[in-house]
């Protein structure tokens, strides 16, 4: 059971190791489904999103996020086109669907939720770390896309400025790096502790729900919302990475 610090905390879990459906305990209408080759996350309303997703990245509006599992040896020359075509084959709206790629075990996705200071937060992370890397040091670089990755999706029911959403991405990156440091996950090329993988992706989606009277303008580690983001990212990254080689 995770320790409660601030807000109402749901313990981290890996629901897809024993089932195919996850329904949010705190946000009505939010659900995640494990399909044959993808995780499908659906919001009851469109979210304002900020991400580095391969499909519909940057600032966008979406109500569906798809984490597509590709083979470990995937080496597509145009992953953005591959993702767009695959989403269309599945029948998703190309405009309002965010697409991510991963080679990680979808069954080992880690999910956590928290209800806090004028917000509700859901975080899900999938992790494959065969291309773990440490940022800030010289290393071999390449132009090709590699599918091993840590993908994190943060859904927030509440109101945030675009600046705060950007701040939340910084907090996510700090928490992810802290989780990998505490796991002592190594970059095999530099023999130093990794700060991520070479292809990590993050999505933050915000409802803008007017029922919340507060507008979150900051999301650093010492704000209520930033602290919650950091804690859920840390816990889900740790769990997904720690269990990735389990059956």
């Amino acid at each position: 059971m995770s320790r409660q610090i601030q807000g109402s905390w749901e313990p981290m879990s890996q629901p897809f190791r024993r089932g195919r459906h996850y329904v949010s305990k705190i946000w009505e209408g939010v659900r995640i489904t494990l399909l044959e080759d993808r995780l499908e996350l659906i919001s009851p309303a469109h979210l304002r999103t900020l991400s580095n997703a391969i499909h519909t990245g940057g600032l966008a509006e979406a109500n569906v996020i798809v984490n597509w599992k590709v083979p470990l040896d995937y080496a597509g020359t145009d992953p953005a086109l591959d993702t767009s075509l695959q989403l269309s084959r599945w029948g998703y709206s190309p405009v309002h669907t965010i697409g991510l790629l991963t080679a990680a075990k979808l069954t080992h996705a880690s999910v956590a939720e928290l209800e806090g200071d004028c917000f509700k937060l859901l975080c899900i992370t999938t992790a494959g770390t065969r291309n773990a890397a440490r940022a800030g040091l010289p290393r071999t670089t390449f132009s090709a896309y590699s599918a091993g990755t840590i993908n994190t999706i943060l859904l927030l029911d509440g109101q945030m400025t675009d600046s705060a959403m950007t701040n939340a991405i910084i907090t996510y990156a700090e928490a992810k790096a802290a989780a990998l440091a505490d796991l002592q996950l190594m970059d095999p090329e530099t023999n130093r502790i990794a700060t991520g993988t070479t292809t990590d992706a993050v999505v933050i989606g915000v409802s803008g729900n007017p029922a919340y009277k507060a507008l979150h303008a900051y999301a650093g580690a010492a704000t209520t919302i930033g602290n919650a983001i950091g804690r859920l990212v840390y816990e889900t990254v740790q769990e997904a990475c720690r269990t990735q080689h389990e059956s």
Side-chain angles (χ1 to χ4, degrees), residues 31-246:
R31 64 185 190 274
I32 310 170
T33 304
L34 173 63
L35 300 167
E36 182 180 0
D37 49 4
R38 64 194 184 276
L39 280 172
E40 174 192 82
L41 192 156
I42 295 179
S43 164
H46 284 163
L47 307 169
R48 183 163 177 80
T49 60
L50 176 63
S51 76
N52 65 327
I54 200 75
H55 179 83
T56 320
L59 279 169
E61 188 175 276
N63 67 322
V64 178
I65 303 170
V66 175
N67 196 9
W68 175 25
K69 180 176 172 57
V70 295
L72 280 170
D73 59 355
Y74 172 79
T77 57
D78 193 342
L81 179 61
D82 292 346
T83 305
S84 178
L85 291 173
Q86 187 61 61
L87 290 172
S88 294
R89 292 187 194 104
W90 285 326
Y92 296 110
S93 162
V95 177
H96 297 302
T97 302
I98 291 177
L100 305 171
L101 295 183
T102 185
K105 293 179 181 177
L106 300 181
T107 51
H108 289 49
S110 178
V111 182
E113 301 188 83
L114 184 151
E115 187 167 3
D117 174 25
C118 293
F119 67 88
K120 296 174 184 175
L121 179 67
L122 180 147
C123 179
I124 176 169
T125 296
T126 57
T129 58
R130 67 192 184 112
N131 56 332
R134 182 180 181 90
L137 296 177
R139 64 174 303 105
T140 304
T141 58
F142 51 90
S143 299
Y145 184 87
S146 176
T149 191
I150 299 172
N151 286 348
T152 297
I153 300 167
L154 289 156
L155 296 190
L156 186 131
D157 186 26
Q159 298 191 61
M160 292 184 83
T161 64
D162 289 351
S163 177
M165 291 174 68
T166 307
N167 201 172
I169 299 294
I170 296 172
T171 300
Y172 143 81
E174 292 171 347
K176 178 192 66 175
L180 299 184
D182 288 350
L183 285 170
Q184 296 189 314
L185 181 71
M186 303 301 292
D187 173 356
E189 182 169 330
T190 64
N191 200 33
R192 302 280 294 276
I193 289 177
T195 55
T197 79
T198 57
T199 52
D200 292 345
V202 59
V203 180
I204 180 166
V206 179
S207 70
N209 188 344
Y212 296 98
K213 303 305 180 183
L215 175 64
H216 295 279
Y218 306 96
T223 64
T224 54
I225 200 167
N227 181 262
I229 288 167
R231 288 156 54 202
L232 265 59
V233 169
Y234 180 93
E235 296 288 357
T236 59
V237 168
Q238 276 232 339
E239 184 172 56
C241 289
R242 190 177 61 246
T243 62
Q244 64 181 301
H245 300 301
E246 296 178 2

